Amino acid sequence: MIYQGSKARLIKDILPYIQNCIDSNKVNLYIEPFVGGANVIQHIKRAVKIGLDTNKYLIALLKHCQNNPDLTDAFEDCPFELYKEVRDSYNKGDDRYEDWQKGLVGFCASYGGRFFDGGYGRDKRGGRSIYKGRIKYLKDEAKNLMGVSFSVQDYTAINCNAETVPAFFYLDPPYAGTKQYQNKFWHDQFYRWARELSRHHFVLISEYQMPSDFLSMWTKERKVMQKSDRASAELVSEHLFTHKDGLYYKWYHEEGYKLWQSR
């Protein structure tokens, strides 16, 4: 799904760093506490998959896609009048539209997948709505969401300790210093949590920058549209970080490096 901060264009680069670790260590549980548009979790194999997010409208939409992957009950189109109507329903908190419908319009008809935050999305010519293209994209991906357990939960509610065997956590939080999501994100709190989590589980984090005790395992420069003019792009360095004392870093330097050398 088109989503703010989506990794859809980077999946071929970052997936091997996740899947090789899962396969090499026979990891049975994969968790994404910031599942977003589910652009990574849908590609993971050979593990029980759990996708979490605090946005209940996002989770309602993803669950609806699992139950009705053809989206036969979705709005055929979304003119601005409908967009405004659903947005007003969301802002008022009324039940005129179901949660999944608010998620559908909020993500698929808003610029940049920003959920009623980026304004009504139009094509490059400034005319037609982007909605139909986004719906087609969502339908194409819906079949890949089968088998994922989605639920509404904040990452802070996750127990960092390993109760039995290590799980794999892929973390894609709101990036520091960039356009934020609607709710404030406390990065220092997240860093402390990620350090503790890394002691007991395999952890990779997507970010542009992290504190010095998190090491970059992979990086790639790319252009992103971050400015409000919707025309100029910035060159950024995308990274996959892991903690220097964590299980992933230990595995990579004992076994993982050999996998990359033999490719």
Side-chain angles (χ1 to χ4, degrees):
M1 183 171 74
I2 303 298
Y3 189 85
Q4 180 182 351
S6 168
K7 297 300 178 293
R9 295 182 179 179
L10 296 174
I11 189 63
K12 291 182 180 180
D13 295 304
I14 67 178
L15 184 61
Y17 286 85
I18 300 173
Q19 194 67 57
N20 282 343
C21 182
I22 289 174
D23 295 344
S24 177
N25 294 281
K26 296 180 172 59
V27 176
N28 293 318
L29 180 60
Y30 173 86
I31 303 174
E32 279 192 36
F34 309 91
V35 74
N39 292 293
V40 175
I41 199 169
Q42 63 177 281
H43 296 286
I44 301 301
K45 300 177 180 178
R46 293 180 288 278
V48 175
K49 300 185 287 187
I50 297 175
L52 310 173
D53 205 281
T54 58
N55 189 316
K56 70 174 184 177
Y57 306 102
L58 169 68
I59 296 300
L61 175 59
L62 293 173
K63 286 185 174 181
H64 190 81
C65 288
Q66 290 178 316
N67 295 326
N68 187 2
D70 293 329
L71 291 175
T72 54
D73 51 356
F75 303 117
E76 184 176 343
D77 201 356
C78 185
F80 178 75
E81 292 74 19
L82 176 60
Y83 178 82
K84 183 179 182 300
E85 197 172 273
V86 178
R87 182 182 62 189
D88 289 345
S89 176
Y90 159 70
N91 287 332
K92 293 176 182 177
D94 63 35
D95 58 359
R96 183 174 182 182
Y97 293 96
E98 295 183 43
D99 285 351
W100 76 268
Q101 292 175 314
K102 294 175 183 177
L104 180 74
V105 173
F107 289 109
C108 293
S110 295
Y111 177 79
R114 291 181 182 173
F115 191 64
F116 296 126
D117 185 41
Y120 181 61
R122 300 180 187 274
D123 61 20
K124 292 182 179 180
R125 296 179 180 178
R128 293 179 300 176
S129 167
I130 60 175
Y131 176 82
K132 283 189 175 181
R134 297 286 171 81
I135 286 292
K136 182 180 184 302
Y137 189 91
L138 185 57
K139 288 179 181 179
D140 290 342
E141 290 195 325
K143 62 182 181 299
N144 299 327
L145 302 179
M146 302 304 172
V148 181
S149 177
F150 292 111
S151 62
V152 180
Q153 183 174 315
D154 188 80
Y155 80 91
T156 57
I158 299 174
N159 183 359
C160 292
N161 297 325
E163 297 180 357
T164 52
V165 294
F168 194 105
F169 284 79
Y170 170 62
L171 311 179
D172 188 18
Y175 284 13
T178 64
K179 169 69 177 177
Q180 289 298 294
Y181 297 78
Q182 292 175 323
N183 296 323
K184 176 70 175 178
F185 188 80
W186 303 99
H187 288 89
D188 288 341
Q189 179 185 38
F190 169 72
Y191 300 148
R192 291 192 294 271
W193 177 82
R195 289 183 183 103
E196 182 64 21
L197 185 73
S198 299
R199 293 176 54 207
H200 306 286
H201 300 279
F202 299 101
V203 177
L204 278 180
I205 308 165
S206 281
E207 246 287 17
Y208 295 156
Q209 56 188 345
M210 291 283 287
S212 60
D213 54 329
F214 291 89
L215 307 178
S216 177
M217 308 301 293
W218 165 89
T219 186
K220 182 176 184 178
E221 286 191 339
R222 66 182 183 124
K223 289 184 177 181
V224 297
M225 305 289 287
Q226 291 183 329
K227 295 183 178 180
S228 59
D229 62 13
R230 305 182 182 180
S232 56
E234 294 183 45
L235 186 64
V236 299
S237 293
E238 187 83 42
H239 291 267
L240 280 178
F241 289 100
T242 197
H243 193 262
K244 66 180 182 66
D245 297 323
L247 286 189
Y248 187 95
Y249 189 77
K250 180 180 179 182
W251 164 78
Y252 180 84
H253 283 279
E254 289 182 355
E255 299 294 335
Y257 182 74
K258 298 176 185 176
L259 294 176
W260 268 263
Q261 289 293 93
S262 62
R263 289 172 65 183

